[in-house]
Amino acid sequence: MKLKQSLLTCALAFAALTTHAQSADGRTDWPGAGQLFVGTNYQPFDRADKAQIQRDIDRMKGAGMKIVRMGDLSWDAFEPAEGKFDFALFDWIMDRMQAAGLKVMMDIPGQPAPIWMHKKYPGVDVVNEKGNRLDPVERYMDNTSDPNYRRLLVRLADTMTKRYAKHPALFAIGFNNESGNGMVSYSEADRLRFIGWLKKKYGSIDALNKAWASQRWSRHINTWDEVRLPYIEGPGPYERYLDMRRFWSEQTVEVLASLEAVRKKNVPDKPAISNLWDSAWRKGFDMLATYRQYISYGAMGFYPGDPIGAGFEATMMRAGMNAPIWFNEFTAGGPGYYGSKGRSRMWAHFGLLLGAQAVMPWTWHSHHGGEEQALFGLIDHDDRPSWKLDEFATIAKEFNQLEKLGFPRLQQPKVAIAYAFDNVIATNLPKEGISNTVRPYVNPGYMKQAHNAFEPLFKDNIDAAVIHIGHEDLSRYKLVVVPGMYLLDKASTANLRKFVSEGGTVIMTAQSAKVNDNNQWHDTPLPGGLTDVFGLRTNEFYNAGKVETRIGDVDAKGDLGFIEVLEPSTAEVLARFTNTGDKVPAVTVNKFGKGRAIYVGTVAQPEVMRALYRQLYPSLGLEPGPKTPDGVYARVVQGRNYYVNTTGEAKDVPIDGTAKGLISGQTWTGTVKLPPMGAELLQAP
């Protein structure tokens, strides 16, 4: 039996890795235009009895909810002992959900693994850098690369999806909540798997030595057995660290692909909508290069801080899909934070502005124990509904109204911003180590530059995509922005070259294209592999304290003083820094093929990028959205202007003529008065 199960696991994983997930594109039976969902996350195994569960379901229905996500984090509730499954309670709950008209997003609860698995299969335990085997004392302390873990996970997924494939309440499948979270492991088996991965990638010890720059500081590797897993917290050389993170990323992707194979086999009529958390700081994985293998819709846990960061992350989760975003977890409060009235409603409308289709608050009931006992849900610890339940009932009512008016708002962005897991890892190396020279160089770091490049577009109310430019068709975009991509891989370099030569416009900022795929500085002129595209080279740099330039007729300033000395060959100088004695070029443009390549000689900063974008809008055929005061964002939805005030202050928004507010019911002339955290959809009378 175990041999058959192992063969099944391998076959499913292979099938998943050689095919793509079923996309939401063209699936009229999957959620799309004219469908919005308010629901919740539910842990029924925490509840006291069936009476309390029935009361929960009645309250969900009474609040106008449509969907419930459950099953996650509960492997041992379904399989309390190896091979002994118990679905009696979940069967009953599924039937009660169906009776109430509620749909179920069923998560395959692959993480955390049950204690019985750790006891019987010690390879599932995580081993830390010091060689100590760790007890699974918190979530996600599972070694998901272990063959026994994968075999048993596939069996669980196969059993659950077969059992509920035809259940009328089943709506979608989710895989392994927060797959990107967890710890890397340092067991001997993990080391051998890493060596196998390296052999496949490099083929020979000589190629590995070259890729790892082993000539430096007596690091030469003579045999494969001398390879060790680099430390996740450092110290160590950059090349090895990047490969270690790539290895663990691929382990996560393999698990997701094996689950997708199960879904396609057993429930091909249900989409995969998973809360993956690819940017989790402890581990993470390269979602943007691989998502088509296991995703039907972009989905995430949405716990926003500021609008720019929230907008960027949600946009990144959508990636290059022509589908809405799902907020599988949605803010109702926060760790140690009960919540503020009106806040969740505002973020729900903000989500709709971004193209969201669903908001599902985490969590339904406040937990009495465990790590999240002070993360407060819609039902208080004493089983009393909080005011938050009423707020989500209001959201559900408004969503029912808006889904008939052009929502979810399907975007067709013409601007793309480059993001890559490899680049993030290469610019966020371990803090430990006596020779970490990269951290001071890549100040302020990729994510800050990416947000700085995104902010002016977002405030001009223009849609943008956040994608891995080496794995997407760039021809759908008019402008591609490459902000601080220290590591720009071969695929991205080639795709960018093709994009420009065929008529596209690219903007690259300083600190980009400095290292190759192995995280080593190029031995050719910089930017690596693209000097002819940009018509310049740049090696020298210095810190001027601040930057000042004039782009067109606009003065632009920035507090980040990093300046690259640009040496144009075929490029023209569009702007120069005005606060430096030698007036070095600040922005250059080069014609290449049918397109143009623009280089910014400083790191991405909002004022500089805003001035440059606005100079380019007319030639790109890009039009900003409705004009809004700071903190208010807007989009046009089927000819109607949709406004969201993200601030705690009332805001006056100028409009032309008279319009009716479809959310407030008020008629506005000349000005829309948005209350704090308010939203409005305007229709001409």
Side-chain angles (χ1 to χ4, degrees), residues 51-131:
Q52 189 177 43
I53 293 172
Q54 184 62 61
R55 186 160 58 251
D56 289 334
I57 293 172
D58 292 341
R59 287 170 170 170
M60 293 172 192
K61 180 180 180 180
M65 292 181 173
K66 295 181 179 179
I67 188 167
V68 179
R69 176 174 174 249
M70 60 182 185
D72 57 307
L73 310 171
S74 303
W75 188 333
D76 61 2
F78 295 106
E79 191 178 6
E82 184 179 0
K84 296 180 180 179
F85 294 96
D86 182 357
F87 293 105
L89 179 57
F90 205 72
D91 285 350
W92 180 85
I93 296 170
M94 289 288 286
D95 291 343
R96 300 315 302 159
M97 291 289 181
Q98 170 62 18
L102 293 166
K103 295 297 183 182
V104 173
M105 180 184 291
M106 184 177 73
D107 261 37
I108 306 302
Q111 291 179 260
I115 297 299
W116 59 256
M117 186 188 298
H118 284 271
K119 183 177 180 181
K120 186 171 182 179
Y121 302 103
V124 182
D125 290 345
V126 168
V127 176
N128 69 10
E129 295 177 0
K130 297 178 181 179

Side-chain angles (χ1 to χ4, degrees), residues 254-281:
E254 286 177 7
V255 171
L256 291 169
S258 69
L259 292 172
E260 169 62 10
V262 174
R263 183 199 67 81
K264 290 182 75 171
K265 177 174 70 79
N266 294 339
V267 281
D269 58 324
K270 308 299 181 188
I273 308 178
S274 306
N275 180 31
L276 300 177
W277 199 12
D278 66 308
S279 58
W281 57 90

Side-chain angles (χ1 to χ4, degrees), residues 430-448:
K431 295 179 181 179
E432 294 184 20
I434 61 173
S435 300
N436 195 330
T437 59
V438 172
R439 279 182 176 268
Y441 171 75
V442 296
N443 182 40
Y446 167 76
M447 287 305 297
K448 179 62 176 176

Side-chain angles (χ1 to χ4, degrees), residues 356-634:
Q357 184 165 40
V359 297
M360 305 171 70
W362 185 275
T363 181
W364 172 255
H365 57 273
S366 298
H367 299 177
H368 292 89
E371 296 94 330
E372 294 189 348
Q373 58 184 278
L375 200 168
F376 304 94
L378 308 187
I379 305 298
D380 289 341
H381 290 96
D382 61 359
D383 204 36
R384 185 183 68 173
S386 79
W387 54 261
K388 289 182 281 186
L389 182 60
D390 288 336
E391 184 163 317
F392 275 92
T394 298
I395 296 170
K397 182 179 178 181
E398 292 176 346
F399 273 32
N400 284 340
Q401 176 190 13
L402 292 174
E403 68 180 1
K404 302 176 181 65
L405 301 172
F407 294 89
R409 194 181 72 83
L410 298 179
Q411 305 176 43
Q412 293 184 323
K414 298 302 179 185
V415 181
I417 294 177
Y419 175 98
F421 175 81
D422 283 1
N423 181 63
V424 172
I425 298 304
T427 55
N428 285 276
L429 295 157
K431 295 179 181 179
E432 294 184 20
I434 61 173
S435 300
N436 195 330
T437 59
V438 172
R439 279 182 176 268
Y441 171 75
V442 296
N443 182 40
Y446 167 76
M447 287 305 297
K448 179 62 176 176
Q449 288 207 57
H451 287 187
N452 285 349
F454 177 75
E455 178 183 324
L457 295 164
F458 199 60
K459 288 188 173 181
D460 278 346
N461 296 314
I462 291 176
D463 288 331
V466 178
I467 58 173
H468 191 308
I469 61 173
H471 293 266
E472 300 287 344
D473 177 8
L474 300 184
S475 66
R476 71 168 81 174
Y477 305 106
K478 296 181 177 181
L479 172 65
V480 173
V481 184
V482 185
M485 292 290 287
Y486 176 71
L487 191 162
L488 191 72
D489 65 10
K490 287 182 179 178
S492 299
T493 300
N495 215 16
L496 210 58
R497 174 183 293 273
K498 179 175 182 287
F499 170 70
V500 177
S501 68
E502 293 179 352
T505 297
V506 64
I507 298 173
M508 179 180 280
T509 71
Q511 298 183 351
S512 294
K514 300 303 188 253
V515 298
N516 62 22
D517 292 44
N518 295 321
N519 211 6
Q520 299 174 14
W521 276 65
H522 289 286
D523 58 4
T524 57
L526 302 174
L530 293 170
T531 53
D532 58 332
V533 175
F534 286 92
L536 54 75
R537 58 172 287 173
T538 174
N539 286 338
E540 181 186 354
F541 61 91
Y542 59 92
N543 191 335
K546 61 181 180 179
V547 295
E548 297 178 4
T549 185
R550 186 172 180 83
I551 300 174
D553 58 357
V554 176
D555 291 324
K557 300 179 180 180
D559 294 329
L560 301 171
F562 185 96
I563 287 177
E564 286 186 356
V565 179
L566 307 184
E567 302 175 35
S569 53
T570 57
E572 296 180 35
V573 177
L574 285 182
R576 295 182 181 274
F577 292 112
T578 56
N579 64 312
T580 59
D582 47 5
K583 302 289 180 65
V584 298
V587 183
T588 62
V589 59
N590 188 55
K591 293 180 180 179
F592 184 81
K594 298 178 182 178
R596 55 186 171 174
I598 298 170
Y599 200 97
V600 178
T602 185
V603 295
Q605 305 184 59
E607 280 197 37
V608 174
M609 301 303 287
R610 180 180 295 109
L612 180 56
Y613 291 152
R614 290 180 175 176
Q615 185 82 359
L616 295 174
Y617 286 161
S619 64
L620 292 170
L622 295 175
E623 293 187 14
K627 291 185 178 180
T628 53
D630 195 43
V632 176
Y633 301 91

